[in-house]
Amino acid sequence: MIRERAYPVEPWHVRETRLDFDVLAQSESVFALANGHIGLRGNLDEGEPHGLPGTYLNSFYELRPLPYAEAGYGFPESGQTIVNVTNGKHIRLLVDDEPFDVRYGDLISHERVLDLRGGTLDRQLRWRSPAGRLTRVRTTRLVSFTQRAVAAICYEVSVDEPSRIIVQSELVANEELPEQSRDPRVAAVLESPLQVEERLVQRDGGLMIHRTKASGLRVAAAMGHEVDGPENISVSSEGVDDWVRTTITCELKPGQRLRVVKLLAYGWSSRRSLPAVRDQVGAALAGARYSGWEGLCAEQREFLDTFWDTSDVQVEGDQEVQQAVRFGLFHVLQAGARAELRPIGAKGLTGPGYDGHVFWDTEMFVLPVLTYTQPSAVAQMLRWRHSTLDLARERARTLGLSGAAFPWRTIRGQECSAYWPAGTAGFHLAADIADAVLRYVDVTCDVEFEREVGLELLVETARLWRSLGHHDRNGLFHIDGITGPDEYTAVVDDNVYTNLMAQRNLLGAADSATRHPDRAFALGVDQEETAAWRDAATSMHIPYDEELGVHPQSEGFTRHDEWDFASTPQDHYPLLLHYPYFDLYRKQVVKQADLVLAMHVRGDAFTHEQKVRNFAYYERRTVRDSSLSACTQSVLAAEVGDLELAHDYLGEAALMDLHDIARNTRDGIHVASLAGAWIALVAGLGGMRDHGGRLSFAPRLPSRITRLGFSLIWRGMRLRVDVQPHEVTYSLRDGDPQAAIDLTHHGEALRVAIGVPVTRPVPPAQPTGPPLQQPPGRAPARRAAKAD
Ligand code: BGC
């Protein structure tokens, strides 16, 4: 695990003060830079040692066969795996005859800093070579938010004695990748997936164009260099096979500095010709040269200033969480900022985990955050889903269903899950997409989006539910044989989460069709169909266990045998790696918030009393073997009044990657959990809900947090919420002078107008209900006692 002291607590930086080879792969994920289009793992400039080399382009994948010992109808035959594309990060250094390598000689100091405001990864080191030469290296890397196809590295060298310096800067394709474990969460390793199509070498750079063998995608990577330093610097380039190298040589004296700015451009296409892709990266490189290094840094800073101005969350009293929530928001932005009609994967572009696939994580955890902070990115992501509708319709036909069946996991839109009980059967994804559409439309009033894109997504998902479910002889609507969010319970009837989300989907589709009758008509929707949706929604069966006074997460769940937690060793978590699914499926053991998630996102469907009882019941049975759970448990813990527990879960969600809590940060960061830190703060401690497009808050702070401040974009205005232990102030920024927002504060209706902040007292929490207890050994780390 990453030891806490590796990253000292600072508000705007993640600093690594020394290089720890044992956690190299984790730190490569933590220090990954991305803009939603390009992703560079935080590999050392010189390429080795490495944990896992990684350079990714959103949606650039290779196909691979999905072998089955026993195949079945409708099983996907081919999977998609993200490709480690041409690595442009490599910069090797030779001081006199000796290659700089942190494993040799004496690494006197080594520091890396992720600058959350500057959007750069900075590295500074002092190294004494085995022959005793002292060299200083300072590098800064960025993946541009403003120039989507561009990344850049500024590499500076200085010396204590006159030395001959050789810098070799490379583009390398088909890097050898380390063997992977058998953990199902890691990626398949592809052997040399790229076939070279063109290599071009110029004096100060070059480019390479490759194509994947099976998916037929073409990728171009180009590099150019700007060199500054002593006189008589020689620059030359060469290339063979899968690499191009630019070599920069000079004599460096003490007091002098060699500075190499490496500009990188990436482009890929499934359709464009080789000359077109070549020109595309050429143009991107020209744009980067035009801005220059200083210009790129200034644009990056300006972009982030705007982002933080709206999105920053201030937490006083727990500086570790303060740092972690900013780190999380930074990675959420990196995953989605410039994805532009491409998916946002579960790991963003920080590692190959889960093969680079997008799951429901994005709609239910990432998009809610972006909706209130960077709504344009949400529209883009949902437009991507929309662009895959034909594939989803085809999949629904294969499954004998109407409407659209979106893939459980994918890169390009085809189903890639080889395990249908926790894949295809996870139909709730359809309602999760619909939920994201409805929230985005409520928050932005983007009518054009709703007409063009949103309505069709709502209609096709509503059609899916109507064909997947059925009315029983008493008229109740059931959705049978599906899997809810908890993957330790599969193929069940009437999963409460799924049914409540489908209910919202069906009603949302009918309402949206009424708002856009012409477009609905064009989609073949008539009154009979919308009436059928409303009928299914209002007759939706929600199981309830009268005897225990709780909701079973799906029909019959509370009747199942209990899991023997007392005899489960701590090193047998996650359970999926130590117990067969058949045993997990028939016991009351919950991998991740399921009914508890329903109580958050469909909180309007439960009474407070039900929330209290249900939460206590599921706390005892939830093991959090998924990183998607802690944030939701935080939200409900806050709602039922256990603010300390809410704080503990918030800490777990926020520190998931900085502390490598799930022990797989090496494969990439957990974007949904990091987004979940925002959710835990805003929806948990802030008590924000948006049911039916109405904003409500119920803020309360745990003992250690003395202040919480956050802002939300709401219909073009910016609402700021400032919470202190005994009072909260709501204020409005932007919008015209008459603008105002109606909201509720702990049930009291308020109107907040521009220039007229409203302050209200915070009522004390009155926890009621049974004591909250987790399975033995599964309680989250306590935060109340920690000192800053
Ligand atoms: C979780 C899923 C999630 C996937 C990708 C699994 O462990 O159970 O809910 O979508 O990880 O993050």
Side-chain angles (χ1 to χ4, degrees), residues 534-740:
R534 289 190 195 280
D535 188 23
T538 45
S539 355
M540 190 69 74
H541 176 60
I542 305 299
Y544 187 70
D545 185 330
E546 296 285 350
E547 199 183 325
L548 294 176
V550 298
H551 284 87
Q553 68 176 25
S554 48
E555 195 68 79
F557 179 81
T558 46
R559 187 190 55 69
H560 284 182
D561 197 1
E562 298 285 355
W563 184 263
D564 184 1
F565 287 113
S567 312
T568 306
Q570 285 307 307
D571 62 2
H572 277 31
Y573 293 95
L575 300 177
L576 67 102
L577 298 184
H578 300 274
Y579 299 91
Y581 270 124
F582 98 88
D583 204 20
L584 294 165
Y585 287 174
R586 60 205 193 101
K587 307 255 170 80
Q588 291 195 53
V589 54
V590 179
K591 181 183 183 188
Q592 62 201 95
D594 184 313
L595 195 269
V596 174
L597 180 59
M599 294 196 295
H600 171 204
V601 293
R602 283 300 321 270
D604 52 337
F606 298 84
T607 65
H608 185 71
E609 161 77 359
Q610 286 172 343
K611 286 179 187 165
V612 168
R613 291 185 62 86
N614 285 340
F615 187 58
Y617 189 86
Y618 288 95
E619 269 300 276
R620 285 176 178 267
R621 294 162 177 86
T622 304
V623 295
R624 299 196 312 291
D625 278 352
S626 162
S627 64
L628 270 53
S629 202
C631 65
T632 306
Q633 287 171 264
S634 177
V635 172
L636 261 293
E639 185 164 356
V640 304
D642 193 336
L643 297 164
E644 303 308 322
L645 183 62
H647 189 182
D648 300 341
Y649 281 134
L650 154 67
E652 183 170 303
L655 292 162
M656 186 57 62
D657 292 307
L658 287 176
H659 288 188
D660 193 16
I661 290 173
R663 294 177 186 249
N664 59 1
T665 294
R666 68 185 302 277
D667 301 317
I669 53 117
H670 301 77
V671 185
S673 181
L674 299 185
W678 185 96
I679 294 174
L681 282 163
V682 173
L685 302 184
M688 188 273 272
R689 297 291 184 278
D690 52 10
H691 302 310
R694 286 179 304 277
L695 262 187
S696 61
F697 296 88
R700 275 194 188 108
L701 299 180
S703 57
R704 206 179 134 198
I705 296 185
T706 50
R707 194 186 144 225
L708 167 66
F710 57 88
S711 303
L712 304 174
I713 295 181
W714 180 257
R715 302 187 179 158
M717 299 170 273
R718 254 181 305 176
L719 177 70
R720 166 129 193 109
V721 182
D722 231 299
V723 191
Q724 289 179 9
H726 303 295
E727 62 175 37
V728 54
T729 301
Y730 301 93
S731 50
L732 208 53
R733 277 169 73 181
D734 306 339
D736 59 62
Q738 276 76 45

Side-chain angles (χ1 to χ4, degrees), residues 348-566:
L349 294 170
T350 65
Y354 284 124
D355 282 319
H357 291 161
V358 57
F359 296 75
W360 72 299
D361 311 24
T362 302
E363 274 81 3
M364 286 315 292
F365 297 90
V366 180
L367 297 195
V369 178
L370 290 172
T371 301
Y372 288 104
T373 55
Q374 189 81 1
S376 56
V378 178
Q380 294 286 347
M381 167 71 201
L382 293 172
R383 281 179 189 273
W384 170 74
R385 280 285 187 203
H386 185 259
S387 75
T388 66
L389 254 175
D390 282 344
L391 292 168
R393 285 194 192 100
E394 193 186 311
R395 179 75 178 148
R397 293 310 89 79
T398 304
L399 300 172
L401 298 166
S402 307
F406 285 96
W408 178 249
R409 51 188 295 174
T410 190
I411 293 179
R412 171 65 190 88
Q414 292 85 352
E415 178 62 272
C416 293
S417 170
Y419 183 60
W420 69 268
T424 295
F427 283 104
H428 63 85
L429 168 66
D432 303 333
I433 294 172
D435 185 55
V437 169
L438 292 169
R439 178 175 299 102
Y440 172 78
V441 170
D442 275 343
V443 171
T444 60
C445 296
D446 186 344
V447 181
E448 202 181 306
F449 169 89
E450 185 183 15
R451 236 187 91 76
E452 273 177 24
V453 174
L455 177 63
E456 196 172 4
L457 285 169
L458 293 170
V459 164
E460 294 294 20
T461 46
R463 285 177 173 157
L464 178 90
W465 294 119
R466 191 60 196 77
S467 69
L468 190 58
H470 69 103
H471 287 278
D472 68 13
R473 57 182 175 277
N474 299 316
L476 287 178
F477 195 76
H478 299 272
I479 303 173
D480 295 338
I482 56 85
T483 299
D486 167 28
E487 294 189 352
Y488 286 173
T489 312
V491 195
V492 293
D493 297 340
D494 288 324
N495 170 257
V496 173
Y497 171 86
T498 305
N499 287 14
L500 286 173
M501 294 298 283
Q503 183 181 56
R504 171 177 287 169
N505 189 162
L506 289 158
L507 292 174
D511 291 347
S512 183
T514 312
R515 283 194 292 275
H516 301 282
D518 299 352
R519 176 88 176 115
F521 180 74
L523 295 171
V525 180
D526 56 23
Q527 282 210 341
E528 204 182 319
E529 189 170 26
T530 53
W533 293 342
R534 289 190 195 280
D535 188 23
T538 45
S539 355
M540 190 69 74
H541 176 60
I542 305 299
Y544 187 70
D545 185 330
E546 296 285 350
E547 199 183 325
L548 294 176
V550 298
H551 284 87
Q553 68 176 25
S554 48
E555 195 68 79
F557 179 81
T558 46
R559 187 190 55 69
H560 284 182
D561 197 1
E562 298 285 355
W563 184 263
D564 184 1
F565 287 113

Side-chain angles (χ1 to χ4, degrees), residues 43-62:
N43 302 113
L44 300 179
D45 304 282
E46 55 281 11
E48 52 189 90
H50 59 233
L52 208 53
T55 304
Y56 311 106
L57 294 177
N58 195 342
S59 299
F60 193 86
Y61 65 92
E62 177 57 314

Side-chain angles (χ1 to χ4, degrees), residues 266-286:
Y266 283 98
W268 75 265
S269 177
S270 60
R271 294 194 204 148
R272 277 194 300 274
S273 65
L274 189 141
V277 176
R278 185 207 294 134
D279 288 356
Q280 184 185 341
V281 289
L285 211 51

